[in-house]
Amino acid sequence: MKKGILLTVTVLSLAVSGITGCSPSETKEMTGTTAVTAETGDETEAATETAGATEAATEAAGETAGEGAVEEGYTPGTMTETGWESSWLNMKFTAGEGVTLLSEEERETILPSVKDGENVLVYEMMANSADASASVGIIVEKSELSPEAYMELMIEQLEEDGHGMTFSVEQEIRDSEFLGRPAKFMQIDSAYQGVEVNQHYTILLQDGYLIEVIGTGSPDSGEALEALMASFTTLE
């Protein structure tokens, strides 16, 4: 059974809209048309392209999250005075000077959480560099797919419908490490309305969940993106 959520287009849309200077409402509208495309068997459920339906989906997801129904084995991370941390992942992010983290409300606007037992999808954290040229985020998603299979599905779905973006796989899927743990890595470069965006995907597996670490930046934001990634450490 094939089951995928087109997260890559959501995050790419967010990254591009941020760099092109779209307002939060414009970002919300863009992600609302591309955020959820689930495939189960031979049936496909496509996200609606109406702003009203996007508002309704966000409200419903918020109610689900508020119920605190989290799949056993997964514990959400928390915001701290210095950044973000997760005891479940044994991981923390320490914000450097000028680095800003999105609030839970802002993350929910971008990608509403889903916590209904079999389906778990949580936008754990997102941080922006001081000069706004780069960002990093973590998405936790319950999935039967391996990190490599998930990446292959992302590429396949982008090839089928890039939602107006052109893209290329700059670095093919390869073995990597994240904080000493085995992971898969790939880099996708995209362009939208003349703006180029580089996106680094590092995905690892824990207890049946994919931990998707997504670094995004403009072509000249290498140092800023590296600094954000270096802000992740294990808990002391």
Side-chain angles (χ1 to χ4, degrees), residues 17 20-29:
S17 63
T20 55
C22 291
S23 67
S25 62
E26 291 172 324
T27 301
K28 187 174 183 179
E29 182 177 354

Side-chain angles (χ1 to χ4, degrees), residues 154-166:
M154 289 164 58
I155 295 172
E156 176 185 329
Q157 290 179 322
L158 274 175
E159 289 175 341
E160 291 176 356
D161 187 354
H163 293 269
M165 294 178 289
T166 59

Side-chain angles (χ1 to χ4, degrees), residues 129-168:
S129 63
D131 62 0
S133 67
S135 66
V136 66
I138 292 182
I139 294 173
V140 175
E141 180 178 0
K142 187 173 179 61
S143 177
E144 298 177 354
L145 297 175
S146 68
E148 183 170 5
Y150 188 86
M151 287 178 166
E152 290 172 346
L153 180 59
M154 289 164 58
I155 295 172
E156 176 185 329
Q157 290 179 322
L158 274 175
E159 289 175 341
E160 291 176 356
D161 187 354
H163 293 269
M165 294 178 289
T166 59
F167 79 97
S168 62

